Amino acid sequence: ITIAAFISLFVCLIPTTIGGLLSAIGIAGMDRALRANVIAKSGKAVETAGDVDVLLLDKTGTITEGKPKLVATEFVASNLPEWQVLRWAADIAAQSDHPVSKAIAQSLDSGSSTLEEFTALPGRGVQARVDGQMLVLGNHRLIEERGLCSSTIEAYLKDQETMGRTVTLLASSTQVLVIFAVADTIKESSREALVELKRLGVATVMLTGDNTV
């Protein structure tokens, strides 16, 4: 009897064999993925992973270390003392759980501002009433929507974003007060993984709300 005939006979005699083998393969695949710190939603996800040709990747904490640091500060408003502007920024940033806000808060000295009406602006930043006036701390898009960008500010933002930095601006209802540039470090493992994915023919796309790409 040939091997093929034996396998055919075995499968016919035990109908559940194929299902059992597939389940075992799926479990083994998920176990291997867990050992590589990969969590699969289901066995089906593991089974179809080999057909993936485009992979979407989050940036902060996935491609990067997830530990951004404040690397540059540019004051824009000349009619306010710098210490006061920085205190406002620190107090607002301290209320946010976003990694970029945390980096700003950790780099600045918070004060005793009267902060009220703190509100998150999804995909844009946060706003709060500080010492009686409404301020926003957010990204380039938020400031554009408020109509507060000038050609000088746009040029500075472009320079920072070209360097791969995340730019956050503190603004009142009438003007931008200060610009913060935050940078994160790319993981060494990210470079290796991206090279390997390219070798396997998998295209990668980075998802980020920081800058327009």
Side-chain angles (χ1 to χ4, degrees):
I1 184 170
T2 64
I3 294 177
F6 176 78
I7 293 176
S8 298
L9 178 62
F10 184 70
V11 170
C12 289
L13 291 175
I14 309 177
T16 59
T17 301
I18 293 180
L21 287 174
L22 291 176
S23 296
I25 292 171
I27 292 172
M30 293 182 74
D31 178 69
R32 184 174 180 180
L34 283 172
R35 293 176 186 277
N37 297 320
V38 176
I39 300 176
K41 182 178 181 180
S42 64
K44 184 67 174 178
V46 176
E47 292 175 23
T48 58
D51 299 326
V52 172
D53 54 13
V54 177
L55 183 63
L56 306 182
L57 299 168
D58 180 41
K59 186 192 72 172
T60 305
T62 301
I63 296 176
T64 67
E65 295 287 351
K67 299 176 182 178
K69 296 180 180 179
L70 180 62
V71 294
T73 301
E74 180 73 12
F75 290 96
V76 179
S78 58
N79 59 330
L80 291 168
E82 294 182 358
W83 66 265
Q84 186 175 54
V85 172
L86 292 179
R87 190 190 69 185
W88 286 341
D91 289 345
I92 295 176
Q95 300 301 313
S96 174
D97 59 359
H98 193 283
V100 172
S101 292
K102 287 183 177 180
I104 293 173
Q106 290 170 0
S107 300
L108 304 178
D109 294 325
S110 60
S112 55
S113 305
T114 302
L115 194 148
E116 302 172 314
E117 301 176 39
F118 181 87
T119 306
L121 306 172
R124 290 166 174 76
V126 296
Q127 68 178 15
R129 188 172 298 281
V130 186
D131 292 343
Q133 66 173 322
M134 188 63 73
L135 300 178
V136 294
L137 181 68
N139 58 21
H140 189 171
R141 179 170 52 175
L142 174 63
I143 301 306
E144 283 187 332
E145 291 174 353
R146 299 288 172 109
L148 299 176
C149 272
S150 66
S151 57
T152 302
I153 291 174
E154 288 285 1
Y156 181 81
L157 297 182
K158 183 177 180 181
D159 288 343
Q160 295 298 318
E161 291 167 358
T162 299
M163 290 188 283
R165 295 174 173 177
T166 299
V167 180
T168 299
L169 305 90
L170 178 70
S172 66
S173 60
T174 59
Q175 64 178 333
V176 173
L177 307 180
V178 64
I179 305 173
F180 301 106
V182 173
D184 201 351
T185 304
I186 297 176
K187 294 179 181 177
E188 283 299 323
S189 58
S190 294
R191 294 186 175 91
E192 298 171 3
L194 292 173
V195 169
E196 181 63 14
L197 287 168
K198 184 177 181 180
R199 187 187 69 79
L200 294 171
V202 178
T204 54
V205 178
M206 182 177 73
L207 301 180
T208 173
D210 297 334
N211 307 319
T212 302
V213 293

Short mmCIF file of all heavy atoms in Angstrom, two decimals, residues 10-22:
data_model
loop_
_atom_site.label_atom_id
_atom_site.label_comp_id
_atom_site.label_asym_id
_atom_site.label_seq_id
_atom_site.Cartn_x
_atom_site.Cartn_y
_atom_site.Cartn_z
N PHE A 10 -6.82 6.41 6.20
CA PHE A 10 -6.81 6.91 7.57
C PHE A 10 -7.82 8.04 7.75
O PHE A 10 -8.58 8.08 8.70
CB PHE A 10 -5.39 7.40 7.91
CG PHE A 10 -5.23 7.83 9.35
CD1 PHE A 10 -5.26 6.91 10.39
CD2 PHE A 10 -5.06 9.17 9.66
CE1 PHE A 10 -5.10 7.30 11.70
CE2 PHE A 10 -4.91 9.58 10.97
CZ PHE A 10 -4.93 8.63 11.99
N VAL A 11 -7.86 8.94 6.75
CA VAL A 11 -8.77 10.07 6.81
C VAL A 11 -10.21 9.61 6.71
O VAL A 11 -11.11 10.12 7.39
CB VAL A 11 -8.44 11.09 5.70
CG1 VAL A 11 -9.54 12.15 5.60
CG2 VAL A 11 -7.10 11.75 5.96
N CYS A 12 -10.47 8.63 5.85
CA CYS A 12 -11.83 8.12 5.69
C CYS A 12 -12.33 7.42 6.95
O CYS A 12 -13.50 7.52 7.31
CB CYS A 12 -11.87 7.15 4.50
SG CYS A 12 -11.69 7.96 2.90
N LEU A 13 -11.44 6.69 7.60
CA LEU A 13 -11.83 5.96 8.79
C LEU A 13 -12.05 6.89 9.99
O LEU A 13 -12.85 6.61 10.87
CB LEU A 13 -10.76 4.92 9.15
CG LEU A 13 -10.65 3.73 8.15
CD1 LEU A 13 -9.48 2.85 8.53
CD2 LEU A 13 -11.95 2.93 8.14
N ILE A 14 -11.32 8.00 10.01
CA ILE A 14 -11.44 8.93 11.14
C ILE A 14 -11.76 10.33 10.58
O ILE A 14 -10.85 11.11 10.30
CB ILE A 14 -10.15 8.97 11.97
CG1 ILE A 14 -9.72 7.54 12.35
CG2 ILE A 14 -10.34 9.83 13.22
CD1 ILE A 14 -8.42 7.48 13.09
N PRO A 15 -13.04 10.65 10.38
CA PRO A 15 -13.44 11.91 9.75
C PRO A 15 -12.95 13.15 10.48
O PRO A 15 -12.79 14.21 9.88
CB PRO A 15 -14.97 11.84 9.78
CG PRO A 15 -15.28 10.39 9.87
CD PRO A 15 -14.19 9.80 10.70
N THR A 16 -12.75 13.01 11.76
CA THR A 16 -12.35 14.21 12.53
C THR A 16 -10.85 14.47 12.47
O THR A 16 -10.37 15.42 13.07
CB THR A 16 -12.76 14.04 14.01
OG1 THR A 16 -12.12 12.87 14.54
CG2 THR A 16 -14.27 13.92 14.14
N THR A 17 -10.13 13.60 11.75
CA THR A 17 -8.67 13.74 11.73
C THR A 17 -8.22 15.09 11.18
O THR A 17 -7.38 15.76 11.76
CB THR A 17 -8.04 12.62 10.89
OG1 THR A 17 -8.39 11.36 11.45
CG2 THR A 17 -6.52 12.76 10.87
N ILE A 18 -8.79 15.50 10.06
CA ILE A 18 -8.36 16.75 9.44
C ILE A 18 -8.64 17.94 10.36
O ILE A 18 -7.78 18.80 10.57
CB ILE A 18 -9.09 16.96 8.09
CG1 ILE A 18 -8.63 15.90 7.09
CG2 ILE A 18 -8.80 18.36 7.54
CD1 ILE A 18 -9.28 16.01 5.74
N GLY A 19 -9.85 17.95 10.93
CA GLY A 19 -10.17 19.04 11.85
C GLY A 19 -9.25 19.08 13.04
O GLY A 19 -8.81 20.14 13.47
N GLY A 20 -8.93 17.89 13.55
CA GLY A 20 -8.02 17.83 14.69
C GLY A 20 -6.63 18.30 14.35
O GLY A 20 -6.01 19.03 15.12
N LEU A 21 -6.16 17.91 13.15
CA LEU A 21 -4.83 18.33 12.72
C LEU A 21 -4.78 19.85 12.54
O LEU A 21 -3.82 20.51 12.94
CB LEU A 21 -4.45 17.63 11.41
CG LEU A 21 -4.09 16.15 11.53
CD1 LEU A 21 -3.89 15.55 10.14
CD2 LEU A 21 -2.84 15.96 12.37
N LEU A 22 -5.84 20.40 11.90
CA LEU A 22 -5.87 21.85 11.69
C LEU A 22 -5.91 22.61 13.02
O LEU A 22 -5.26 23.64 13.17
CB LEU A 22 -7.08 22.23 10.84
CG LEU A 22 -7.05 21.78 9.37
CD1 LEU A 22 -8.33 22.15 8.66
CD2 LEU A 22 -5.85 22.41 8.65
#
